[in-house]
Amino acid sequence: MDIVLEIFDTFLFDRLYAVCLPASLRSHVQDVSEDATSTFSSMREMPTAVQNSSRFFRLKPSQYAYMSAWPRDSLWRQGLSLYLITWLFGFVIYFVGASLSYIFIFDHATFTHPKYLKNQISLEIRQTMIALPVMAIFTAPLFLGEVRGFAKLYDSPSDEPFALYNYLQFPLFILFTDFFIYWIHRALHHPKIYKTLHKPHHKWIMPTPFASHAFHPLDGFAQSVPYHVYPYIFPLQKFAYIALFIFINIWTVFIHDGEYVANSPIINGAACHTMHHLYFNYNYGQFTTLWDRLGGSYRQPNEELFRRESKMSKAEWERQCKEMESMQKAVEGDDDRNYGMKSRLQKKVS
């Protein structure tokens, strides 16, 4: 995350902190003179050396990099910056990914499903807007630890711990995170915590892409912990980490898009995850079906989901609703969702 932080510092935060927390020349020069690693300009008596986050690119800092009471390596500045980046980055990926999926992939016939909620997309977005800034509070310290050098992130591919690790790190990351997310997700379905923490995400029986990040904040953070813990335990190349961070957010959108492309016994795609939203106690995995199979919680998606004529048929929806209502009653008790005018929606089903 130090690469992302350097980019934001260069193009946004240096000037922002210089304006909001300016440093007097006297105090600034005094602070810098105590730092033996800094160099000075004979013209302005300002430090001219800023440590780069990667050897593969160099961003020239502007004058604003030296004009704040909080220099770039300030613990408080880095913590606040990483919080804002986490919030902003999550916001952008969510809206861009969910919007593109909604326009080009999501099947809008879902709107007429009997279990589609009244004003559902607005509710999904609202829940996400509540969750993201709170999740960022818990996530930023983990990013801060990475930036301060406590994680095992490495810069150059030549620094890999052994041959082929630059390739193996991707499947290892998927297997590690998929395993722990499976058990965290399954634990969130425990009756003592489900209604408080995980039910807000299960409000969406027929989710849209905008449900992808619509969690209770603690639920969303809990399921993200394995992603952040991994680089503290195992080596991970910096650019690979950024790519994986983007990938997992996009993947979260894809498994909520309702377009059942991957009829795979291995991949936990949108069809598998739809089974989870419909029937609650199945398919807890994030990327694969491996841990569901080993844990006895795998449910193969119905074949009808992969044929459009049956996927959106009245008979299939009635069958889904009947079983879903039985499972929902057992898991949650009375259903407090607002499905709107059910009779009108039913008439629209072909």
Side-chain angles (χ1 to χ4, degrees):
M1 194 53 66
D2 55 349
I3 293 173
V4 176
L5 181 58
E6 182 182 354
I7 294 171
F8 272 83
D9 275 338
T10 302
F11 295 105
L12 177 62
F13 289 141
D14 283 341
R15 184 164 188 167
L16 180 65
Y17 286 113
V19 172
C20 297
L21 291 168
S24 66
L25 180 62
R26 177 182 298 178
S27 64
H28 186 70
V29 171
Q30 180 180 354
D31 291 341
V32 170
S33 66
E34 297 172 358
D35 183 359
T37 64
S38 299
T39 60
F40 292 85
S41 164
S42 60
M43 293 294 294
R44 299 186 179 179
E45 295 187 329
M46 286 186 175
T48 57
V50 172
Q51 185 176 359
N52 295 112
S53 58
S54 174
R55 71 187 71 173
F56 295 106
F57 73 95
R58 179 179 179 84
L59 296 175
K60 183 178 180 181
S62 70
Q63 60 180 340
Y64 298 107
Y66 315 110
M67 296 172 62
S68 173
W70 278 6
R72 281 192 180 186
D73 62 352
S74 164
L75 180 71
W76 297 108
R77 168 172 166 167
Q78 289 178 341
L80 177 58
S81 297
L82 288 166
Y83 169 75
L84 294 173
I85 290 171
T86 305
W87 184 2
L88 178 63
F89 204 59
F91 178 88
V92 171
I93 290 180
Y94 167 72
F95 270 106
V96 171
S99 297
L100 290 175
S101 177
Y102 176 79
I103 295 170
F104 296 108
I105 301 175
F106 177 66
D107 192 334
H108 292 71
T110 303
F111 295 151
T112 58
H113 194 286
K115 295 303 178 182
Y116 183 82
L117 303 185
K118 181 180 180 181
N119 301 321
Q120 180 170 313
I121 290 180
S122 297
L123 294 171
E124 290 169 341
I125 294 174
R126 179 177 181 273
Q127 181 64 45
T128 303
M129 293 300 97
I130 293 172
L132 287 179
V134 181
M135 289 167 60
I137 293 174
F138 298 105
T139 304
L142 294 169
F143 284 146
L144 181 61
E146 296 168 10
V147 170
R148 307 293 289 191
F150 294 101
K152 296 185 178 182
L153 295 168
Y154 63 94
D155 186 28
S156 175
S158 62
D159 296 330
E160 62 181 342
F162 55 83
L164 301 180
Y165 186 82
N166 287 322
Y167 302 99
L168 291 174
Q169 63 183 330
F170 295 101
L172 289 174
F173 180 89
I174 296 297
L175 287 172
F176 177 90
T177 57
D178 199 38
F179 172 77
F180 283 101
I181 291 172
Y182 170 81
W183 288 109
I184 292 169
H185 191 179
R186 188 162 185 168
L188 287 164
H189 278 258
H190 191 282
K192 290 187 177 180
I193 59 177
Y194 169 80
K195 290 185 178 180
T196 301
L197 293 183
H198 197 50
K199 185 180 176 180
H201 186 63
H202 270 274
K203 185 175 184 177
W204 334 112
I205 302 299
M206 294 300 297
T208 79
F210 292 100
S212 58
H213 293 66
F215 291 92
H216 184 289
L218 291 180
D219 177 7
F221 172 71
Q223 294 194 61
S224 74
V225 166
Y227 302 132
H228 303 295
V229 168
Y230 183 91
Y232 284 91
I233 302 175
F234 302 102
L236 194 60
Q237 202 275 332
K238 289 182 178 181
F239 290 99
Y241 181 44
I242 295 172
L244 286 166
F245 182 76
I246 296 172
F247 165 74
I248 59 180
N249 280 276
I250 294 175
W251 181 264
T252 303
V253 173
F254 281 172
I255 61 175
H256 292 88
D257 66 17
E259 190 59 36
Y260 313 125
V261 177
N263 186 8
S264 168
I266 299 173
I267 299 174
N268 183 65
C272 282
H273 201 65
T274 292
M275 293 292 100
H276 179 71
H277 275 265
L278 275 170
Y279 308 127
F280 298 89
N281 295 329
Y282 304 96
N283 300 349
Y284 299 108
Q286 182 73 356
F287 301 112
T288 76
T289 64
L290 173 62
W291 308 115
D292 279 297
R293 290 176 182 276
L294 294 176
S297 55
Y298 175 67
R299 174 163 176 164
Q300 184 176 353
N302 303 336
E303 286 295 328
E304 291 81 1
L305 295 180
F306 300 97
R307 298 192 300 269
R308 181 169 179 80
E309 64 275 9
S310 58
K311 169 187 171 183
M312 294 297 176
S313 68
K314 180 178 179 180
E316 174 65 11
W317 283 1
E318 287 179 348
R319 188 195 62 74
Q320 289 176 358
C321 291
K322 183 178 180 179
E323 185 175 0
M324 171 264 162
E325 288 168 359
S326 175
M327 295 292 296
Q328 181 273 324
K329 186 73 173 178
V331 173
E332 297 181 347
D334 293 337
D335 191 353
D336 58 0
R337 296 170 180 80
N338 181 5
Y339 299 105
M341 299 174 62
K342 289 186 178 181
S343 60
R344 178 176 63 83
L345 295 176
Q346 289 280 14
K347 292 178 181 179
K348 289 186 177 181
V349 179
S350 57

